[in-house]
Every structure is written in structure tokens, then in C-alpha cells.
Amino acid sequence: MNAPVLTIDGPSGSGKGTISRRLAGLFEWHLLDSGALYRLAGLAGRRNGVSLEDARGIASLATSMDVKFEEDAEGNERILFSDEDVTRDIRSETCGEDASRVASLPEVREALFAFQQSFCRPPGLVADGRDMGTQIFPDAPLKVFLTASAQERADRRYKQLKDKDIDVSLAALLQDIERRDARDASRAVAPLVPADDAYVIDSTNQSIDEVVAEVVELKNRIIGIG
Ligand code: DC
């Protein structure tokens, strides 16, 4: 590794996306949103008429994806896929479901391995995902595993969607979250489990600010300030 890496793994809705972005901003480090890569692999499959069960087909699309992660003038993330802005599209429930399906294919995970590692550049990297600490950056000096109860994660997602005027049922969201957790945790390759040396933080009763402060304290103590 040519730069320090802070890995943040955990299930959907644990707050890790927001927290990773905040931390990368505070430290002025690079950010790897690995979930977005699986979402894009699923999207590439749909757009090219490749079945999401076709492991080799999706893997081949995943190795040749033209992806750019950018920020607009207000600091909001912008994801360009073959120069098309797909920032909103890839956050849909369908894309999340597709991502979880293609993420269970070993060929697809292998195809994205080197690409993910290439995000590790000075001055440092915050890597957000499910297997950052266990598979992609096993030597990272600081690993965090962020969890929250399924009910709390469903409540958070419900509020997010309501704020965007998207109509959903809380019960259906909870069911989706539990189904996706079970698939992500039980798959044969890179299951969602904390690394042995990860700090586990339960954010069920903690605000984003509190979790960020806890991780900053860990980073300053373990990796150093600056
Ligand atoms: O974090 P997210 O919701 O954008 O992730 C979408 C899906 O991708 C999720 O179901 C699990 C999968 N994923 C994975 O298997 N490994 C990663 N490092 C990141 C995401």
C-alpha cells in the first residue's frame, strides 16, 4: 500500500456512505464507493442485454467500464458512466437489488479487484464497502465495521425516500433489507462479515456526528494526525 487506508464496511443503511464521505472530506483523502461499482456492473448488464446470472458476461463488462467519480460545484457526488450522469439512477432500489445479485458472482468480484485497489493513492483512502477490510485492503491500518439494527436502517431509508417524495412501504423496505443482508452475509465469496481486527461500531442510537467523531479519534490515535 502506498498510502494509509481506512476501511468502512457494513450493511446498507448503516450510514457508512455518508460517514465515509464526511471522513474523506475531513482528512482530504480519496474515497472509494465500492457499492457504486457493483451497481454500475448491474446497470451495464441491463443496458447491454446481458443476463445478471451470466457471470462471465457481467465480469467482462465490469472490467471495461468507463467510470468517473466527480464532485459538482456544491460538493455533491457525480458519477459518470461512459460520460452519462447516472448519479441518481444507480441509487434506485432496482439497481441496489441488481448490485447485490452481481456482487455474489466470484468472477465479477475478481474483475473489480484491481480497479478497487487502484484507488489507494496518497495522501490516503477511505474505502466504503462490504469486504474492504477482509479482501481488498486486508493490510489497512484502521478498519471499521459499522452496523445498525435492521429496523433502524429501514426507518432511515424510509425517511430518505419520503424526503424525495418516493412512496414506499416501511414493511416492504424492512423485508428487502433483511433479504439483502441474508444474501450478502451468506454468499460464498467475500461475505459481509467484520474483519478480525475491525472496530465494530453500532450506530443504532448514534448520530452521524457522533460516529464521525469516534472514527476521527481512532484515526488520529492509530494512523496519526495530518
Ligand atoms: O453499498 P451499496 O448499497 O451501494 O451496495 C450495493 C450492493 O453491492 C450490496 O447489496 C452489496 C454489494 N457490495 C458488495 O458485495 N461488496 C462491496 N464491497 C460493496 C457492495
Side-chain angles (χ1 to χ4, degrees), residues 91-98 157 161 168 173 176 180:
R91 299 296 166 204
S92 72
E93 292 303 303
T94 311
C95 263
E97 182 62 26
D98 288 355
R157 184 79 187 133
L161 294 172
V168 278
L173 277 179
D176 278 358
R180 208 176 297 171

Side-chain angles (χ1 to χ4, degrees), residues 12 16 33-36 38-39 91 96 99-100 103 109 116 128-132 180 184 187:
S12 328
K16 70 193 164 55
D33 174 359
S34 59
Y38 290 97
R39 288 171 183 265
R91 299 296 166 204
S100 169
R109 305 199 74 86
Q116 293 177 86
D128 159 2
R130 305 292 192 289
D131 63 341
M132 298 295 102
R180 208 176 297 171
D184 291 344
R187 68 180 174 223

Side-chain angles (χ1 to χ4, degrees), residues 121-141:
R121 276 174 285 130
L125 175 71
V126 178
D128 159 2
R130 305 292 192 289
D131 63 341
M132 298 295 102
T134 51
Q135 305 287 328
I136 311 295
F137 301 108
D139 299 328

Side-chain angles (χ1 to χ4, degrees), residues 23-45:
L23 290 165
L26 278 173
F27 305 150
E28 297 185 353
W29 283 9
H30 301 284
L31 175 69
L32 165 60
D33 174 359
S34 59
L37 299 181
Y38 290 97
R39 288 171 183 265
L40 290 165
L43 187 70

Side-chain angles (χ1 to χ4, degrees), residues 28-187:
E28 297 185 353
W29 283 9
H30 301 284
L31 175 69
L32 165 60
D33 174 359
S34 59
L37 299 181
Y38 290 97
R39 288 171 183 265
L40 290 165
L43 187 70
R46 285 210 182 253
R47 293 209 170 158
N48 289 280
V50 175
S51 153
L52 300 185
E53 262 82 60
D54 175 357
R56 278 164 180 250
I58 302 289
S60 152
L61 290 173
T63 22
S64 54
M65 292 193 301
D66 170 15
V67 188
K68 287 189 203 88
F69 290 92
E70 295 183 346
E71 276 189 4
D72 67 14
E74 281 90 51
N76 300 310
E77 80 162 351
R78 222 162 73 101
I79 300 176
L80 298 179
F81 184 49
S82 299
D83 292 324
E84 177 193 343
D85 188 340
V86 293
T87 320
R88 229 183 111 87
D89 295 3
I90 63 155
R91 299 296 166 204
S92 72
E93 292 303 303
T94 311
C95 263
E97 182 62 26
D98 288 355
S100 169
R101 284 170 64 192
V102 301
S104 67
L105 305 170
E107 292 84 346
V108 176
R109 305 199 74 86
E110 180 59 36
L112 290 174
F113 189 81
F115 187 40
Q116 293 177 86
Q117 287 194 329
S118 73
F119 281 74
C120 177
R121 276 174 285 130
L125 175 71
V126 178
D128 159 2
R130 305 292 192 289
D131 63 341
M132 298 295 102
T134 51
Q135 305 287 328
I136 311 295
F137 301 108
D139 299 328
L142 176 56
K143 302 176 184 178
V144 169
F145 190 87
L146 200 58
T147 68
S149 69
Q151 183 66 55
E152 172 67 19
R153 288 184 284 129
D155 285 345
R156 289 178 188 171
R157 184 79 187 133
Y158 182 74
K159 283 192 201 109
Q160 268 177 1
L161 294 172
K162 274 273 164 212
D163 286 347
K164 290 185 196 158
D165 283 330
I166 301 173
D167 212 19
V168 278
S169 116
L170 181 58
L173 277 179
L174 180 60
Q175 221 177 30
D176 278 358
I177 282 182
E178 286 175 335
R179 201 185 49 230
R180 208 176 297 171
D181 278 0
R183 189 194 290 141
D184 291 344
S186 67
R187 68 180 174 223

